[in-house]
Amino acid sequence: MANLYAQVIVDVPTQQTDHTFDYIVPDALVQAVVPGIRVAVPFGRGQRLVQGFVITTSNTSSFAKQAKAIDHVLDFAPVLNTELLDLSRWLAYQSFAFRISCLQTMLPNVMRAKYHKIAVAQDPTLQKSTFFNGQNQLILDDKLSLATQRQIVIWQKENKITLKYQVQDQAKHVQQWFLMRADLDYAELLTTINTRAKRQRQLIELFCNPTLKKISFTKLQQQYHIDRSVINKAVNNHWFTKKQEIVLRNPNSEPISKTTAKKLTAEQDNALQQIINAKKPVLLEGVTGSGKTEVYLQTIEHYLKQGKTALMLVPEISLTPQMVEQVRGRFGSAVAVLHSGLSKGERYDEWSKIEAKQVQVVVGARSAVFAPLTNLGVIIIDEEHETSYKQNDNPRYHARSVALWRGRYHNCTVILGSATPSLESRARGQKGVYQLVQLPHRVANQELPPVEIVDMRQSENLTEQLELSKPLVKAIALNLENKEQTILLLNRRGFASFVLCRQCGFVPQCPNCDVSLTVHLQQHNLVCHYCGFKRAIEHQCRQCKSTKLRYSGTGTQKIEQQLQQMFTDAKIIRMDNDTTTKKGSHQRLLRQFATQGDILLGTQMIAKGLDFPNVTLVGVINADTGLNVNDFRSSEQTFQLLTQVSGRAGRSQKAGRVFIQTYNPDNAAIILAAQQNYELFYQREMQFRHQAAYPPYFYLIKVTVSHRYQAQALKMAYNIIKQIKPVLKTREQLLGPTQPPIGRIKQRYYYQIIIKYRQNEQLFTALHQLLNEVQSYQKRGFLVAIDNEAQQLE
Ligand SMILES: Nc1ncnc2c1ncn2[C@@H]1O[C@H](COP(=O)(O)OP(=O)(O)OP(=O)(O)O)[C@@H](O)[C@H]1O
Ligand SMILES: [Zn+2]
Ligand SMILES: [Zn+2]
């Protein structure tokens, strides 16, 4: 038999990013070793076993003499297809990451963590084999002989077995207590129970229905308000037995009402036609409430009819349950949903459905861009301007760029959609790199809501509660009277509540980082959001011992209380990080608001995508906080936020209106957002970006260096500059080293260098060289990060 070699990327991120190592494939594994599987191979001086991905195989090797043999295979079928293997190379190059971390990122978490590989016998005769020994499934460990590994691959190719991965995932299997029916005549029992023991009678009455075999404690408590003491007593009386059982959790278990395609408006139809005929990526710029979602859905439908698949990205999905419901409502079980709210096991289940081609539509947040869909017809990125599409940790990829790469690979339609496109995308639309498709009107031609700017510097506008102005309070009152709903936004970007001593001005600081500690009133402590440092709230100043402390800043809780005092009968729903930690809480709160709420008060998470027909008033409590952030995108982000949230008002029959409270009523981003004039904002902001040489005129790379000693960090930063500067072309710039606004985090000092470039291969080569040296720097206590397409410079 001819020799077979495998080219393997090993899990040792010290080597050159694109460097594969050749390994000999043992004869027994010739069928098993194919591109896209993981293998265990000996590596380095100690020849310890490390994990690797097989990228290619070949019959010859220029390293034949040194090559070691693959020890065993970790997968019996590819976990990454050829497209994703290809993508990993581009991704490593583009985002200055090691190839291995790109490959790992594409796999669901389960496959990076501890899991069992399980073989399930599909063929009854196989069950009787010595291997399965009468069982129908078997856990495969890593110590299988080569012959066994070979046998498994053959069985799999013959469809005699299927393989699955399983985590010990507590979130997936929940243990629940059940009350079990006993061998009793419950009707008779009921006659013996005192009529005053209401709950006990209720419990027994339930079991008078002979079909009820068991019922969970949770259900008894939540649905029937029968508590533990009643249950325990019943068990002690031997009326029932109790038993613990494992319940499988299904993330999509909630019933979804089926929807059908709406008749498109002329504008929507025109957009749809342009999209499916487009020869390049489409930027769908549609004002808030213009019905972009319906256009997405019908585009998806169009491609499904051709037997193709669709991928739709939305910003962190738990924030837009409405969107998920719409997609599932339209395409039902053809949809897989991937988001961070799922447990590892649930995520793997969704991923397997995609892999097995059981679903044709995937909806998900950022990392869903790697979903292993084949035969893609369309990729959609909703709210394409969202900075959360950029991953800030290794590999620092931008999902939009990855989507565009996949679009080219599949030669499929890509839609970037937004009411407020990023300047980058809009500029490309202008230049014809993307096809610009616009929806300038709302669906039923409703007006965009008029926006009033409330100047908070004018005392006549203020109420006793300093946060809420008279015009806004009046409008809320009127809305309550009319039984219409209100959304209030508390902008928390760049905003923290801290303790201030009114005597000496002292503000408690984190001992490890250069930041003030944030007040968490509910937990009674001060917290550092950068390193997690915590201590109890003090009631005396550390510096001057004064007790005159002010807890500055405005929290959602405080405003909720103020509102409740003013409007005692109003049903207020608060949505912020505190009220949405539990799984499914977003959905629950939004549903509550939809059915019975008067006021939805929340942070950024309520600004986008919500579509409630009865919302006629939107109030922005503090428009300014984001403006104080020292970043070239701060205007853009303020404009986007205000436009998006204003767009929640008056989306249906009733007209809407908006109040924006601000201390900067002359700020252009605020004024133009109030006019909902994207076009003018775009032009002005482009001028600024041009003058200051920012994106989209230049690309940005941010290099960050840190060390425990400030002087060391600074010295390294200068070193890097010395390496990079010579490769820059005219007009390209290098800024720094500067200390970021928070110069010290977790006892490490940070410096950053900003590189503004246009098109420069040499720069990429130089930075990849730097990346390869990073490992040796790390040994000396340095951390170096290279961030391409950095979204924030702070
Ligand atoms: N063709 C149509 N006929 C009737 N109603 C429609 C049609 N298209 C969309 N709608 C309705 O119009 C409303 C607004 O649509 P949608 O939420 O998709 O807007 P959008 O463009 O995504 O806005 P935003 O950017 O503000 O999220 C929704 O309630 C939707 O059901
Ligand atoms: Zn800290
Ligand atoms: Zn003091």
Side-chain angles (χ1 to χ4, degrees):
M1 199 187 284
N3 278 337
L4 187 68
Y5 298 91
Q7 286 72 50
V8 178
I9 295 275
V10 290
D11 191 0
V12 194
T14 57
Q15 303 302 322
Q16 290 213 329
T17 44
D18 263 327
H19 191 309
T20 55
F21 287 84
D22 282 12
Y23 283 91
I24 298 167
V25 180
D27 287 347
L29 294 184
V30 164
Q31 278 175 298
V33 175
V34 291
I37 66 157
R38 292 169 303 168
V39 288
V41 293
F43 188 82
R45 247 182 269 150
Q47 294 292 297
R48 73 187 168 95
L49 287 186
V50 299
Q51 211 191 85
F53 283 82
V54 175
I55 305 295
T56 47
T57 56
S58 63
N59 292 114
T60 58
S61 163
S62 9
F63 305 95
K65 286 217 179 75
Q66 303 108 285
K68 302 276 181 307
I70 288 174
D71 190 88
H72 61 268
V73 296
L74 296 173
D75 302 304
F76 295 96
V79 289
L80 292 177
N81 61 29
T82 30
E83 182 204 353
L84 295 176
L85 290 177
D86 245 20
L87 173 58
S88 73
R89 180 180 332 161
W90 174 84
L91 196 61
Y93 179 75
Q94 197 61 27
S95 59
F96 301 99
F98 291 109
R99 182 100 180 257
I100 188 73
S101 34
C102 296
L103 292 163
Q104 304 275 30
T105 291
M106 295 173 177
L107 288 181
N109 266 325
V110 169
M111 297 191 173
R112 291 177 253 165
K114 272 207 158 66
Y115 58 85
H116 289 312
K117 243 175 323 206
I118 294 175
V120 185
Q122 300 296 349
D123 184 336
T125 56
L126 206 60
Q127 275 185 40
K128 298 194 192 88
S129 70
T130 46
F131 183 68
F132 278 97
N133 200 12
Q135 310 279 323
N136 87 16
Q137 59 176 36
L138 204 68
I139 295 181
L140 305 175
D141 61 22
D142 283 343
K143 296 184 199 74
L144 300 174
S145 71
L146 290 182
T148 309
Q149 294 180 49
R150 171 166 178 262
Q151 187 58 62
I152 290 171
V153 172
I154 292 171
W155 280 336
Q156 180 174 4
K157 288 197 172 143
E158 292 170 347
N159 290 325
K160 287 187 177 155
I161 58 170
T162 53
L163 292 162
K164 58 183 189 189
Y165 297 79
Q166 200 174 71
V167 249
Q168 286 99 332
D169 188 332
Q170 287 166 333
K172 181 171 175 176
H173 307 284
V174 272
Q175 300 262 13
Q176 274 196 17
W177 280 104
F178 284 88
L179 204 57
M180 315 293 290
R181 187 178 195 89
D183 191 12
L184 279 181
D185 184 342
Y186 285 99
E188 196 188 300
L189 176 64
L190 194 62
T191 60
T192 68
I193 309 289
N194 192 319
T195 46
R196 272 177 307 174
K198 247 178 70 190
R199 294 290 181 216
Q200 281 191 18
R201 291 185 63 92
Q202 195 188 350
L203 181 58
I204 294 165
E205 273 165 12
L206 283 173
F207 279 87
C208 286
N209 174 353
T211 59
L212 183 68
K213 301 288 178 237
K214 63 176 182 185
I215 188 165
S216 75
F217 285 17
T218 324
K219 191 164 179 183
L220 285 173
Q221 280 158 6
Q222 283 174 0
Q223 199 168 326
Y224 300 103
H225 306 288
I226 297 173
D227 63 25
R228 270 310 256 271
S229 63
V230 177
I231 298 173
N232 286 340
K233 200 160 169 203
V235 173
N236 288 340
N237 289 342
H238 303 289
W239 297 340
F240 308 97
T241 53
K242 60 177 184 179
K243 189 175 168 197
Q244 209 173 19
E245 286 186 1
I246 288 172
V247 187
L248 271 188
R249 196 179 278 173
N250 179 357
N252 298 336
S253 58
E254 285 201 36
I256 291 285
S257 39
K258 192 106 186 85
T259 66
T260 46
K262 294 188 172 69
K263 183 168 167 25
L264 295 183
T265 65
E267 242 176 43
Q268 283 174 318
D269 190 48
N270 178 278
L272 177 65
Q273 296 312 321
Q274 287 193 61
I275 287 166
I276 56 188
N277 291 315
K279 299 276 176 286
K280 46 188 167 188
V282 170
L283 174 61
L284 179 63
E285 181 189 326
V287 297
T288 54
S290 57
K292 293 184 286 295
T293 315
E294 190 60 35
V295 175
Y296 300 150
L297 293 175
Q298 298 203 17
T299 308
I300 294 174
E301 198 181 327
H302 171 87
Y303 286 105
L304 291 189
K305 276 192 188 136
Q306 298 185 355
K308 296 193 172 169
T309 63
L311 171 60
M312 176 160 171
L313 300 184
V314 296
E316 194 40 61
I317 216 160
S318 52
L319 308 186
T320 52
Q322 276 197 334
M323 181 65 90
V324 177
E325 281 176 23
Q326 289 200 58
V327 182
R328 287 182 52 216
R330 195 67 56 88
F331 305 110
S333 58
V335 183
V337 180
L338 293 171
H339 63 88
S340 58
L342 300 179
S343 71
K344 280 184 193 155
E346 289 167 342
R347 242 188 119 81
Y348 171 72
D349 292 346
E350 295 296 291
W351 186 86
S352 321
K353 279 194 248 166
I354 305 166
E355 178 79 38
K357 303 193 179 18
Q358 288 164 359
V359 293
Q360 287 73 45
V361 183
V362 174
V363 188
R366 183 177 62 221
S367 63
V369 76
F370 299 115
L373 285 166
T374 53
N375 199 16
L376 269 167
V378 60
I379 305 175
I380 298 163
I381 302 198
D382 188 33
E383 311 283 0
E384 70 86 33
H385 61 277
E386 273 287 298
T387 51
S388 63
Y389 284 125
K390 174 72 197 310
Q391 171 148 304
N392 291 321
D393 294 325
N394 229 335
R396 300 180 169 79
Y397 67 90
H398 200 307
R400 188 172 56 209
S401 307
V402 176
L404 290 165
W405 186 95
R406 294 195 74 183
R408 289 192 295 274
Y409 184 95
H410 288 273
N411 195 13
C412 75
T413 305
V414 177
I415 308 176
L416 310 177
S418 176
T420 52
S422 64
L423 263 74
E424 282 94 329
S425 296
R426 180 50 206 267
R428 287 183 180 167
Q430 203 79 21
K431 268 174 63 181
V433 180
Y434 301 154
Q435 182 166 337
L436 182 59
V437 176
Q438 287 170 312
L439 293 171
H441 302 101
R442 285 189 156 180
V443 169
N445 262 317
Q446 306 94 315
E447 295 289 326
L448 286 170
V451 182
E452 192 171 311
I453 295 178
V454 182
D455 185 350
M456 297 299 277
R457 298 168 311 182
Q458 305 294 329
S459 56
E460 72 262 23
N461 279 337
L462 302 184
T463 59
E464 272 168 42
Q465 277 82 17
L466 294 176
E467 286 86 10
L468 298 167
S469 66
K470 278 181 192 153
L472 180 56
V473 169
K474 226 169 105 188
I476 297 174
L478 185 65
N479 237 35
L480 286 169
E481 216 170 278
N482 293 340
K483 301 250 175 300
E484 293 174 9
Q485 292 173 298
T486 302
I487 290 182
L488 295 177
L489 169 75
L490 186 71
N491 179 7
R492 292 194 57 102
R493 180 172 144 75
F495 172 93
S497 37
F498 50 89
V499 182
L500 175 79
C501 172
R502 284 189 291 179
Q503 200 78 35
C504 75
F506 178 77
V507 175
Q509 302 282 316
C510 173
N512 309 318
C513 314
D514 286 347
V515 286
S516 331
L517 292 168
T518 304
V519 179
H520 284 226
L521 275 179
Q522 233 164 2
Q523 291 85 30
H524 292 285
N525 52 26
L526 298 173
V527 180
C528 170
H529 285 176
Y530 290 85
C531 73
F533 174 87
K534 253 185 214 152
R535 74 165 178 251
I537 288 186
E538 292 132 356
H539 301 282
Q540 198 178 42
C541 172
R542 292 205 156 200
Q543 191 159 285
C544 74
K545 305 285 176 246
S546 154
T547 52
K548 287 195 182 138
L549 301 183
R550 203 183 81 187
Y551 300 92
S552 91
T554 310
T556 37
Q557 249 180 319
K558 193 165 142 199
I559 294 190
E560 184 189 15
Q561 283 165 11
Q562 292 176 0
L563 283 167
Q564 201 70 79
Q565 271 161 21
M566 268 186 273
F567 307 109
T568 36
D569 294 334
K571 170 97 179 136
I572 304 170
I573 313 277
R574 174 163 66 95
M575 243 173 115
D576 56 21
N577 284 335
D578 290 337
T579 62
T580 53
T581 44
K582 274 219 203 96
K583 196 171 154 174
S585 47
H586 277 98
Q587 211 138 347
R588 192 171 43 78
L589 289 173
L590 289 179
R591 213 164 277 162
Q592 249 177 45
F593 177 64
T595 53
Q596 39 171 314
D598 294 311
I599 300 173
L600 177 65
L601 166 69
T603 53
Q604 265 77 331
M605 60 180 80
I606 61 159
K608 279 175 298 266
L610 300 186
D611 184 46
F612 295 110
N614 201 32
V615 170
T616 51
L617 173 64
V618 164
V620 178
I621 292 166
N622 53 344
D624 308 305
T625 42
L627 289 174
N628 308 326
V629 178
N630 177 22
D631 189 274
F632 76 96
R633 266 184 229 278
S634 68
S635 278
E636 182 184 351
Q637 289 183 348
T638 300
F639 177 84
Q640 285 163 347
L641 178 66
L642 297 180
T643 309
Q644 293 284 350
V645 73
S646 302
R648 300 313 106 205
R651 292 166 74 89
S652 194
Q653 312 300 328
K654 301 172 194 159
R657 52 187 190 144
V658 180
F659 292 84
I660 295 178
Q661 302 187 155
T662 174
Y663 290 91
N664 298 285
D666 304 323
N667 181 284
I670 291 179
I671 293 174
L672 292 173
Q675 296 168 0
Q676 319 229 358
N677 193 340
Y678 176 84
E679 205 47 48
L680 195 54
F681 175 78
Y682 164 71
Q683 283 163 17
R684 283 186 54 124
E685 190 66 11
M686 283 296 273
Q687 275 173 17
F688 155 70
R689 302 284 178 92
H690 184 68
Q691 278 159 13
Y694 276 120
Y697 293 96
F698 284 82
Y699 294 108
L700 286 186
I701 292 179
K702 177 170 79 175
V703 182
T704 314
V705 186
S706 74
H707 196 273
R708 280 188 71 112
Y709 296 108
Q710 190 166 13
Q712 289 287 335
L714 191 58
K715 210 167 111 192
M716 177 62 79
Y718 277 114
N719 255 337
I720 292 172
I721 290 177
K722 220 161 63 195
Q723 277 184 47
I724 302 300
K725 222 167 192 165
V727 302
L728 292 185
K729 298 184 184 161
T730 38
R731 300 186 52 209
E732 294 185 333
Q733 295 177 26
L734 193 151
L735 309 178
T738 53
Q739 251 188 323
I742 298 160
R744 190 179 57 126
I745 298 172
K746 296 187 191 174
Q747 302 192 354
R748 301 182 67 88
Y749 288 90
Y750 281 79
Y751 280 95
Q752 64 185 30
I753 301 160
I754 306 293
I755 303 164
K756 297 179 178 177
Y757 74 100
R758 289 204 148 154
Q759 173 127 85
N760 191 335
E761 292 286 324
Q762 269 181 301
L763 173 65
F764 269 61
T765 311
L767 286 170
H768 276 284
Q769 230 151 35
L770 176 66
L771 185 67
N772 286 326
E773 290 159 17
V774 160
Q775 202 67 24
S776 64
Y777 294 151
Q778 236 171 48
K779 293 202 185 95
R780 288 153 48 205
F782 291 101
L783 290 179
V784 179
I786 306 172
D787 189 358
N788 194 4
E789 297 187 81
Q791 296 296 296
Q792 252 99 32
L793 295 187
E794 46 161 21

